[in-house]
Amino acid sequence: TRDPFLLMGRKSNPNFKLADLMSAKLATVSEVPTPWLCLQHDLRLAGLDPDKVVRVTGQTMAENVAALKAGTVDVIQVFEPFPSLLLAEGAAHIWFEQAQRGYTSYTCFYARRGTLTARRDELKRMVRAIDKTEKWVAAASGKEIAGTIQRYFTDLPPAILEAACTRY
């Protein structure tokens, strides 16, 4: 129930304030709308106009990472494993963890009543499996989680996956 996106900048900014985005070139997430919607809300709550942010749109997170490294943008909005990869390379700094905004639900499940009735038993099993998994994740270390899912992320070094799971 936390926003998993981070703002990563080329230069260190340990005293980051949302107002800093007003003088930076920001590349936002294009794959899904929610991260930018949430960040816009946070900007408005801080008394800032999101329309005045110089924003790069339409690029994937991977393309935005490349743009940050090339120096064509100042800050990018990404989620794991991109922050851990950038930190390991010394190529970026965390400016803001959007999780600080408080509870934010990005995902929900819904179904028609007929489906709920017709598939009641299997949907109950699915909900119980999700509940069990969420409880395990909450109690597990980043290393344990990474070890469990490593086979799905063979392109990531184990240390990066562990760092991503620990932060996430």
Side-chain angles (χ1 to χ4, degrees):
T1 59
R2 296 286 178 170
D3 187 327
F5 286 83
L6 288 83
L7 298 180
M8 304 283 297
R10 281 186 295 123
K11 297 178 182 172
S12 178
N13 191 352
N15 299 312
F16 173 79
K17 303 279 186 271
L18 287 171
D20 296 345
L21 295 177
M22 306 314 286
S23 60
K25 190 173 191 179
L26 169 67
T28 55
V29 174
S30 67
E31 291 90 339
V32 291
T34 312
W36 172 238
L37 292 171
C38 290
L39 187 55
Q40 286 180 83
H41 180 69
D42 294 342
L43 289 164
R44 288 185 187 105
L45 289 176
L48 303 167
D49 182 354
D51 292 333
K52 295 196 176 176
V53 173
V54 176
R55 192 164 74 100
V56 174
T57 62
Q59 296 182 158
T60 66
M61 284 185 273
E63 291 168 333
N64 287 338
V65 166
L68 186 74
K69 289 179 180 180
T72 59
V73 298
D74 302 308
V75 60
I76 60 174
Q77 185 182 42
V78 290
F79 69 7
E80 291 293 353
F82 296 108
S84 291
L85 289 165
L86 287 164
L87 291 170
E89 294 175 28
H93 304 271
I94 295 174
W95 281 18
F96 180 60
E97 294 179 347
Q98 287 183 221
Q100 294 175 17
R101 73 186 317 273
Y103 293 119
T104 305
S105 294
Y106 271 28
T107 304
C108 66
F109 296 103
Y110 61 92
R112 294 180 179 179
R113 285 191 179 111
T115 301
L116 292 172
T117 301
R119 301 180 74 181
R120 182 175 178 81
D121 288 338
E122 64 189 298
L123 291 173
K124 282 172 73 175
R125 288 192 301 271
M126 182 186 82
V127 169
R128 287 184 184 127
I130 291 169
D131 179 61
K132 184 177 178 181
T133 301
E134 287 179 341
K135 287 176 179 166
W136 177 83
V137 167
S141 69
K143 185 174 186 166
E144 290 172 300
I145 296 167
T148 301
I149 66 173
Q150 177 68 48
R151 68 179 181 256
Y152 300 105
F153 298 93
T154 56
D155 57 329
L156 286 178
I160 296 295
L161 185 58
E162 182 179 336
C165 290
T166 299
R167 182 180 337 281
Y168 196 71

